[in-house]
Amino acid sequence: GQQVMQIPQYQHVQEGEDFTTYCNSSTTLSNIQWYKQRPGGHPVFLIQLVKSGEVKKQKRLTFQFGEAKKNSSLHITATQTTDVGTYFCAGPEYNFNKFYFGSGTKLNVKP
Amino acid sequence: EAGVAQSPRYKIIEKRQSVAFWCNPISGHATLYWYQQILGQGPKLLIQFQNNGVVDDSQLPKDRFSAERLKGVDSTLKIQPAKLEDSAVYLCASSLENSGAAYNEQFFGPGTRLTVL
């Protein structure tokens, strides 16, 4: 069945270091969304990318959607302790009304 | 603006008992989702409603799980009978009406933490 995997599963960084999480889908996605879930909290929407090869930036966060619409990445420049949480990619399978979340990358930032 | 409301926040039951969760989406949101999130995993979509119709319930274990959204507003998710592996957080989310492949931003409620003993 459809799978959306993210690597790495965990990442521990020193404050100020950069961080990247990669999202890979076994099938083509219509679009990709990214969510952040703080410890003990619920997922909160960050951004959506729709077009093949699209790149969007939000302050220190850069999101990219692959040309084949099967992968995506989130890069955080100069991490801060407020970036702590689990980052999920998610999206609907192309031509199907089925929505999948990725396995998530848990980020810990040491001050 | 009020967010997505869920109740109860916590529930502890014994296996083979039944349980129900309630969700009230953001006003005006036509699409409602129920997710199961097991500790350390990503949310897994159980069922998606658009108004009071089911869009996708392919991952709902229909032998024990049921969900309804009778008037196209609030929704209930029921488990009967519960198993140990149903221990998880059950998240409800809502969004503006999706159109084809264009999925809108989802707003999540605080979730219900279910423990099955």
Side-chain angles (χ1 to χ4, degrees):
Chain A
Q2 156 70 303
Q3 283 192 331
V4 183
M5 301 302 295
Q6 288 181 247
I7 54 171
Q9 190 174 2
Y10 303 98
Q11 184 85 60
H12 300 270
V13 300
Q14 198 72 39
E15 190 172 22
E17 291 181 339
D18 292 357
F19 159 76
T20 303
T21 172
Y22 298 92
C23 170
N24 295 288
S25 170
S26 58
T27 59
T28 303
L29 300 174
S30 298
N31 48 70
I32 194 103
Q33 298 176 352
W34 283 90
Y35 291 80
K36 176 183 178 181
Q37 186 172 26
R38 286 200 162 98
H42 55 271
V44 175
F45 177 85
L46 294 176
I47 206 162
Q48 175 165 271
L49 299 101
V50 178
K51 298 177 184 175
S52 169
E54 189 171 9
V55 177
K56 284 189 176 180
K57 291 190 176 184
Q58 279 183 353
K59 297 182 181 178
R60 296 179 294 105
L61 278 61
T62 302
F63 304 84
Q64 189 166 15
F65 198 13
E67 293 290 340
K69 302 183 88 173
K70 294 178 74 173
N71 53 67
S72 181
S73 65
L74 158 59
H75 179 82
I76 302 178
T77 304
T79 55
Q80 300 175 357
T81 54
T82 52
D83 296 326
V84 165
T86 301
Y87 291 85
F88 293 101
C89 61
E93 190 175 2
Y94 183 72
N95 269 348
F96 294 92
N97 281 325
K98 296 182 185 298
F99 195 87
Y100 296 95
F101 267 78
S103 50
T105 295
K106 187 173 183 178
L107 172 65
N108 189 38
V109 181
K110 291 179 285 187
Chain B
E1 180 183 294
V4 177
Q6 287 189 249
S7 67
R9 293 294 310 276
Y10 304 92
K11 189 75 177 178
I12 301 174
I13 61 173
E14 295 191 347
K15 60 183 179 183
R16 291 188 289 273
Q17 285 187 323
S18 61
V19 64
F21 312 125
W22 175 81
C23 172
N24 193 30
I26 291 173
S27 177
H29 280 192
T31 309
L32 187 148
Y33 310 79
W34 281 104
Y35 291 90
Q36 179 193 60
Q37 187 173 26
I38 292 171
L39 187 65
Q41 298 182 16
K44 173 183 151 186
L45 180 65
L46 294 175
I47 190 166
Q48 178 189 340
F49 293 97
Q50 183 124 298
N51 296 305
N52 59 355
V54 175
V55 173
D56 177 29
D57 63 357
S58 57
Q59 298 192 96
L60 185 75
K62 297 180 185 65
D63 58 334
R64 297 184 301 108
F65 286 64
S66 64
E68 59 183 16
R69 193 185 185 199
L70 292 175
K71 295 182 180 178
V73 181
D74 58 348
S75 174
T76 54
L77 175 70
K78 295 178 182 177
I79 308 175
Q80 182 180 12
K83 292 185 175 181
L84 296 176
E85 59 260 37
D86 298 332
S87 293
V89 174
Y90 290 85
L91 293 163
C92 178
S94 71
S95 73
L96 293 171
E97 184 169 342
N98 294 322
S99 175
Y103 272 63
N104 287 301
E105 166 187 359
Q106 295 179 36
F107 295 83
F108 283 80
T112 297
R113 184 175 298 277
L114 173 68
T115 302
V116 182
L117 302 176

